[in-house]
Amino acid sequence: MQTLEQAYQNFNLESLMNEQLVGSKQNINAYIECCGRYVGQHRIALKWEGKNGESAEWTFDELADKSAQLAHYFQQLGLKAGDCIAGLLPRTPALLITILATWRIGAVYQPLFTAFESKSIEHRIEIAKTQLIVTHQEQRAKLNGIKIPHILTVHQNQPQQQDADFWQALEHQSVDFPPISRTFNDDFLMMFTSGTTGLSKSVPVPLRAILAFKGYMTHAVDLCEQDSFWNLADPGWAYGLYYGITGPLSLGHCIIMDERPFSVDHAIAIIKKYKVNNLTGSPTAFRMFFGFKEKFDAAIKTHLRVVSSAGEPLTPEVIHWFNQDLTVNIFDQYGQTELGMVIANHHALDHHKKVGSAGYAIPGHRFAVLNQDYQEVERGGIGILAIDCAQSPLFWFKGYDGHNRKSFVGQYYLTGDTVKFNEFGGIDFIGRADDVITTSGYRVGPFDVESTLLECKEVLESAVVGKPDPERTEIVKAFVVLKEQYPATDLLMKQLQDYVKSRLSKHAYPKEIEFVEALPKTSSGKIQRNLLKQQEIAKAQGIQKVG
């Protein structure tokens, strides 16, 4: 196995382009990279599970034909290279055809998560100047009253609606459509931040990012040709679109789509049916796996090879369960919508793996930890995680809306996350800069407390915030969701407090615990600690709860 240091030394952007891209800086098309180059090789591109129990396989050749037909339809509407085309679609073949057809005409694909309502949709399409939305009959009502030049709908029962029908639009169209060439710095995706604070901001993604996506799939995920690969994340969000569709398809690898809502039972069924051995997803999903670990039988151990997690840090208990009970390594990896994945514990590269650490820079990137004066700290120091743009040839973020660079200072992009530069040269995640709790002069990362609470058998989920306190500045307060079989009692509260005190520290244990039925989360599954903190601030000020 290649070492991480060797991968750093061997990295060369120009040779990487020549090896991994069909095109060049001035002549590239995302459809060619993710589909066209594999036509004629009789490869399966998609394995699909429908919500009503149906299933189907699609080859790269079949997707090529359908995307060409849809590209002709787009062109007939007057859509052109650089225009924004959105998909408000469930995880179906129509979604993948829409993405490939958009790229084929040189346009920019914009994902719209199916859990969005009209306000969220309208905000995004106004900023992106979206020209067409491809949607599904079940989602169509959300677009009523929204100004959009064109709507194309996948009808099921009512083809007589005013919109054109998706499948009918493809009929009688040619399966020959020459892809439109673009440049390395032209955009092919229009993403938006998840909006944990404030309105979501647009993140245009240039075609050069495909190389970075390939690097993550190769080095961190260790995607091999023979793997049965599944990314649990929804393609309405960055991790699912970058690494559930673009990354694997660009390597000619088959992807799995499950139209059904996520559940542990559905996930186990897919893993068993397709003998998934390379699994990626969010900590939320893996925490749910751990919460229902009795459902995982020995059969899964026989084929599950590597597991990768991104979005928030994994808790040690989840890591140990995967390692000990399922005999598979699950590795933490770090990224943002703005960056893609840039730091990882790499499955395909040899380096020290520290439990609880996000790992090391993926080849093609360099991170730094900066103090309040934006100077790099030494190992052992705590500060803001930054990406050194000058020494990161795969860094592609241009700023919000393609120009807003408020997150940049000198040669650095500031992630807004507080981390420790650990003794091995990797990153230990502490929390968002505005999530870190200051209590009696101590700085407490909410993740440490949450992880310790999740070690308790009674706890399903937890979120920790700083509650205003006149004497201590803040106190640590935990919101805890219990497993169904455990009632909320004062005795249990004290047991949880004592456990954290004994495992973590006397100043970091939650002086208050509030048992709740659910935690507030973004549509992408991230816990919204800011809403919980706002509630506590409002209570302290005698104002009615917000959120």
Side-chain angles (χ1 to χ4, degrees), residues 190-485:
M190 179 60 73
M191 309 302 294
F192 280 76
T193 60
S194 56
T196 52
T197 58
L199 291 174
S200 59
K201 300 179 285 292
S202 67
V203 178
V205 182
L207 282 154
R208 64 182 292 119
I210 293 176
L211 278 178
F213 297 169
K214 285 173 177 276
Y216 170 71
M217 300 302 301
T218 302
H219 295 307
V221 174
D222 191 22
L223 184 60
C224 301
E225 185 175 354
Q226 68 273 17
D227 281 350
S228 176
F229 170 76
W230 186 27
N231 185 329
L232 294 162
D234 192 286
W237 293 103
Y239 194 71
L241 185 53
Y242 295 174
Y243 307 111
I245 291 181
T246 312
L249 290 182
S250 72
L251 294 171
H253 207 285
C254 176
I255 63 174
I256 296 171
M257 279 188 179
D258 184 4
E259 186 182 359
R260 299 169 297 183
F262 174 82
S263 75
V264 173
D265 289 335
H266 288 163
I268 291 174
I270 293 291
I271 292 170
K272 287 183 175 181
K273 177 176 180 178
Y274 293 107
K275 291 183 170 53
V276 173
N277 68 334
N278 194 325
L279 182 68
T280 67
S282 71
T284 302
F286 297 132
R287 285 196 297 265
M288 294 296 291
F289 283 4
F290 179 69
F292 296 94
K293 57 186 176 182
E294 67 279 0
K295 294 177 179 285
F296 288 78
D297 59 37
I300 291 176
K301 296 182 187 179
T302 63
H303 50 79
L304 197 57
R305 181 175 70 87
V306 293
V307 184
S308 304
S309 175
E312 289 183 320
L314 286 167
T315 57
E317 277 298 306
V318 173
I319 295 172
H320 293 317
W321 172 64
F322 269 93
N323 187 258
Q324 295 172 11
D325 288 22
L326 297 182
T327 62
V328 64
N329 286 323
I330 180 170
F331 287 163
D332 254 328
Q333 297 159 356
Y334 173 89
Q336 294 182 334
T337 300
E338 296 92 329
L339 305 173
M341 302 302 292
V342 291
I343 296 172
N345 288 294
H346 303 78
H347 285 289
L349 298 175
D350 185 32
H351 60 73
H352 180 80
K353 311 294 195 305
K354 177 186 176 183
V355 174
S357 169
Y360 308 85
I362 296 172
H365 303 86
R366 178 184 181 268
F367 69 75
V369 181
L370 307 181
N371 62 22
Q372 59 186 4
D373 298 320
Y374 303 119
Q375 300 298 310
E376 296 191 17
V377 305
E378 301 293 330
R379 293 192 184 188
I382 292 175
I384 297 297
L385 177 63
I387 301 300
D388 183 350
C389 308
Q391 298 188 59
S392 300
L394 290 184
F395 179 84
W396 50 260
F397 179 49
K398 298 179 285 189
Y400 300 107
D401 304 325
H403 56 79
N404 179 345
R405 295 176 63 87
K406 290 182 179 178
S407 296
F408 292 79
V409 173
Q411 71 191 61
Y412 301 106
Y413 163 78
L414 308 181
T415 67
D417 289 319
T418 301
V419 300
K420 179 181 179 181
F421 190 17
N422 69 33
E423 65 274 29
F424 302 105
I427 290 301
D428 295 345
F429 188 85
I430 295 176
R432 291 292 298 175
D434 50 4
D435 285 340
V436 176
I437 302 163
T438 302
T439 178
S440 300
Y442 295 101
R443 286 161 58 88
V444 177
F447 171 67
D448 288 335
V449 186
E450 292 168 1
S451 299
T452 307
L453 283 167
L454 284 169
E455 293 175 9
C456 301
K457 63 181 181 181
E458 300 89 351
V459 177
L460 181 62
E461 289 189 293
S462 66
V464 171
V465 301
K467 175 180 177 178
D469 183 84
E471 294 182 5
R472 302 178 180 87
T473 306
E474 293 178 308
I475 62 169
V476 179
K477 178 168 181 177
F479 295 83
V480 171
V481 179
L482 296 173
K483 296 176 183 176
E484 289 184 0
Q485 63 268 40

Side-chain angles (χ1 to χ4, degrees), residues 483-535:
K483 296 176 183 176
E484 289 184 0
Q485 63 268 40
Y486 298 104
T489 64
D490 290 342
L491 177 60
L492 178 56
M493 182 186 303
K494 187 175 186 309
Q495 289 174 348
L496 297 179
Q497 289 173 321
D498 289 343
Y499 182 78
V500 177
K501 191 184 298 184
S502 66
R503 287 276 289 149
L504 206 54
S505 69
K506 292 182 179 178
H507 69 268
Y509 86 95
K511 292 188 179 298
E512 288 188 17
I513 293 179
E514 182 175 336
F515 295 113
V516 295
E517 292 185 0
L519 298 175
K521 296 175 183 175
T522 65
S523 300
S524 60
K526 293 181 181 178
I527 296 172
Q528 292 180 298
R529 296 178 188 85
N530 61 304
L531 291 184
L532 297 171
K533 186 162 186 173
Q534 288 170 24
Q535 290 178 4

